[in-house]
Amino acid sequence: MSDLTAAPSRPAPEPDAGLGGVDVLTVGEALVSLRSSAPLNLGGSLTMHLAGAESNVAIGLARLGHRAAWVGRVSDDELGEFVLRQLRAEGVDTYGVRRDPDRPAGLMFLERRTADLTRVIYQRAGSAGSALGVDDLRGPLAAGPRLVHLSGVTPALSDSAREAVTWVAREAAAVGTPVCLDVNHRARLWSREAARAALVPLAGYASIVVASADELDLVAEPGADEGTAVAGLLRRGVHTVLVKLGADGARAYTRDGVTPVAAVPVTAVDTVGAGDAFTAGYLSGHLDGLDLTGRLGRAVALGAFAVVASGDWEGLPRRDELSLITGSVAGTTLR
């Protein structure tokens, strides 16, 4: 069962060529990520990176040759310019982005505590990204993207951001544009109760819902198990529910049943951004017209690329690099 209209991919466009013809429109907050390999309280040195769930997905798609656009607000200073330069360098369209002269960039500090544990500190309250509003999205949506990708991070930032995300999902669904929603719960931003109140109605506009197993009840009744939550989403019109299982792979549910996929066995270096890479791989496979097994194969392949390199998105592949990580998924070699 298809949840998008398949079409051949195209070469990555020149950035900011205008939003017409975009494959995927992503909406959210892009953060300036400051990473340290030593404890911050000991004065560990910092390196600056771009981070953000939706921008990670946009970069993953752009690297595979799809035309991806990211829309949000950025600060009108050097940090905002850094965000835009990073996105444009990766071929992501930022034509609809607004510069906000009154608010700062959102910051994320990451300190590597052990080989497999990274601690995150946010400074994003009152950021430019949190001031996202409906008017920021009218033009980008009117340009007619083939798909809209959202996450549960953005509606947690502010009332205006929640209104904007709900508006774009509702308007996209009303004209038949598929919506992908990654639950992506951030406990530091809002409670599970507040998240559920916003995400349950939002999921009603989605064609694709992506969630970890422990996030599914945020788009269903409190305490719902996986089967109950998935059944409810499918009854509401969701076409595909993707359940991320980390090192155990994933499960895809449609009205035809459940399809499991194993993770590609690799040595993990940094798991930050792996879920966003998985989503980008799935959407890329669908845009390329792959069947469900092929889409899942590409999803776990991109997840593997994400965890074998440091950074949210830096290790994601170009199209001609997909064969560097191969595995057997349901008897087929990843492409």
Side-chain angles (χ1 to χ4, degrees), residues 34-79:
L34 300 167
R35 287 176 166 257
S36 175
S37 59
L40 292 172
N41 62 2
L42 297 181
S45 60
L46 299 170
T47 56
M48 192 160 74
H49 305 265
L50 170 69
E54 299 85 2
S55 55
N56 291 344
V57 171
I59 289 172
L61 287 164
R63 283 198 173 183
L64 293 177
H66 305 286
R67 186 167 182 192
W70 175 84
V71 175
R73 287 197 180 195
V74 301
S75 57
D76 193 16
D77 58 14
E78 288 79 5
L79 296 182

Side-chain angles (χ1 to χ4, degrees), residues 7 10-11 51 91 176 179 198 208 211 216 250 267 312:
R10 55 179 67 89
V179 175
I208 306 164
L216 272 174
T267 300
D312 283 41

Side-chain angles (χ1 to χ4, degrees), residues 2 113 125 132 187 221 251 299 322 331:
S2 176
R113 296 298 291 147
L132 182 74
E221 293 298 320
R251 287 188 285 268
L322 280 172

Side-chain angles (χ1 to χ4, degrees), residues 112-119 268-271:
R112 192 74 173 270
R113 296 298 291 147
T114 70
D116 56 0
L117 176 63
T118 299
R119 185 157 58 186
V269 172
D270 184 353
T271 60

Side-chain angles (χ1 to χ4, degrees), residues 102-190:
D102 301 318
R103 293 173 178 265
L107 302 179
M108 180 171 69
F109 295 85
L110 291 93
E111 59 175 359
R112 192 74 173 270
R113 296 298 291 147
T114 70
D116 56 0
L117 176 63
T118 299
R119 185 157 58 186
V120 179
I121 300 170
Y122 291 115
Q123 290 188 2
R124 68 199 306 180
S127 68
S130 70
L132 182 74
V134 171
D135 287 344
D136 297 318
L137 306 182
R138 295 185 189 278
L141 185 62
R146 293 176 56 198
L147 180 137
V148 172
H149 173 69
L150 308 168
S151 87
V153 177
T154 307
L157 300 178
S158 68
D159 290 342
S160 69
R162 185 158 54 254
E163 179 186 1
V165 167
T166 303
W167 177 87
V168 77
R170 182 177 64 245
E171 295 299 310
V175 297
T177 301
V179 175
C180 175
L181 172 65
D182 187 343
V183 174
N184 223 340
H185 180 59
R186 296 289 186 267
R188 295 186 185 184
L189 294 178
W190 55 358

